[in-house]
Amino acid sequence: MSEPSTGGEFWLPQTRMERSGPGRLRLTGAKSFVTNAAHADSYVLSAVASGPDTPPGQFSCTVVDAGTPGLVWGEPWRGFGMRGNASRALDLPGVEIPERCLLGERGDEIWYVFNVVAPYFLMAMAGTYLGVAAAALEETRAHLLQRKRTRSNRHPSGHQVVQHRLGTMWARVERTRRLVYHAATEADTGGPEALLGLASAKAEVADAAEATVNDALTLVGGVGYGERSPLHRMLRDARAAHVMSPGTDMLRVWAGRALLDEPLLEG
């Protein structure tokens, strides 16, 4: 769904979908990051349903088989984080697919945002990065418990500053976990705070993951920057939580709009 010209506004695709003949559709455009690129058997791509004045959210989704002629894949993902993520750019220079690959009706994919992206993708991202925060907390705790006493015969865990910071880390992770559970429950039951919870859960987890890994590096010290320490990987990956669309700022806006009964999506 991501494109070079849309940023985090994934519901405003610029990729065009046009009829190219009886029972055929033509896709013209580009995608920035296609998950599992060149590994999956098929991909779901978004395309604009009609003209540029179409209300936001009125896009279409199609299934594109991996063997479709004309797909032009970019280079494999190379980043300072998310190194287990197989993503590539994709050019669609007039790629033709059967019309039966259209998901639903043309232009009715606003439901995709609220029924797929919101409940499942946001929860998946929240759970992923909550795991990063929890792992950083446990890594720090294990390190502190294994540390030897200093020459003054004092164990590092006996310092109040260490105790205070570790306790703060635990509280941050756990209160964020409770929000994630609350959001999931509200979404499952169709509760009144489902949208608020879903939007806020990923945003809060992103803040919690980044802050917790930062605190972990502070408590562990120089060892945390070593090649064998998992903390430097956690830090790189945690920072990506803010970028994975919908981004943190956008989610905060969504929560505010929901509280004020304003339209969620704007063009």
Side-chain angles (χ1 to χ4, degrees):
M1 300 187 76
S2 59
E3 297 186 3
S5 58
T6 60
E9 296 178 323
F10 58 87
W11 59 92
L12 298 173
Q14 301 301 304
T15 296
R16 305 289 303 178
M17 182 181 71
E18 304 167 307
R19 294 189 184 277
S20 59
R24 304 288 294 175
L25 298 173
R26 180 184 296 115
L27 300 174
T28 305
K31 299 295 179 178
S32 301
F33 302 102
V34 180
T35 305
N36 295 328
H39 294 281
D41 295 326
S42 61
Y43 306 90
V44 176
L45 302 181
S46 60
V48 68
S50 53
D53 296 329
T54 300
Q58 289 192 13
F59 59 92
S60 299
C61 283
T62 63
V63 175
V64 178
D65 187 81
T68 300
L71 299 179
V72 181
W73 292 106
E75 293 296 318
W77 166 255
R78 295 286 186 270
F80 72 89
M82 299 179 67
R83 294 179 179 176
N85 183 10
S87 292
R88 296 189 184 192
L90 173 63
D91 284 333
L92 301 157
V95 173
E96 293 199 6
I97 60 174
E99 190 171 8
R100 58 179 169 78
C101 292
L102 180 66
L103 298 178
E105 299 298 326
R106 290 171 61 95
D108 71 349
E109 299 307 305
I110 187 66
W111 69 267
Y112 192 86
V113 175
F114 296 104
N115 295 286
V116 177
V117 174
Y120 298 109
F121 185 74
L122 288 179
M123 280 291 96
M125 290 295 98
T128 297
Y129 291 105
L130 180 62
V132 173
L137 172 63
E138 185 55 35
E139 180 74 17
T140 306
R141 179 173 178 271
H143 173 82
L144 292 173
L145 289 174
Q146 293 170 5
R147 286 280 299 274
K148 297 180 179 179
R149 293 181 179 274
T150 63
R151 290 186 177 181
S152 61
N153 200 35
R154 188 175 185 184
H155 198 279
S157 61
H159 291 275
Q160 287 189 359
V161 171
V162 173
Q163 297 163 353
H164 179 277
R165 191 178 290 267
L166 191 65
T168 301
M169 291 167 63
W170 182 90
R172 181 193 299 125
V173 171
E174 287 307 309
R175 70 171 178 259
T176 308
R177 189 192 309 277
R178 302 307 164 192
L179 174 60
V180 173
Y181 288 166
H182 173 68
T185 300
E186 285 289 285
D188 275 344
T189 61
E193 294 185 343
L195 179 56
L196 282 169
L198 291 169
S200 298
K202 179 180 178 291
E204 287 294 313
V205 167
D207 286 340
E210 186 180 23
T212 302
V213 179
N214 272 323
D215 283 344
L217 285 167
T218 298
L219 287 177
V220 171
V223 176
Y225 290 86
E227 290 184 354
R228 296 186 178 181
S229 170
L231 289 177
H232 57 81
R233 172 178 54 81
M234 292 180 188
L235 182 62
R236 294 195 304 267
D237 288 348
R239 189 61 187 81
H242 292 290
V243 180
M244 294 290 288
S245 186
T248 299
D249 289 334
M250 180 58 67
L251 291 171
R252 300 295 193 195
V253 170
W254 283 7
R257 287 176 179 170
L259 287 167
L260 296 171
D261 296 325
E262 292 290 326
L264 187 66
L265 304 181
E266 291 184 359

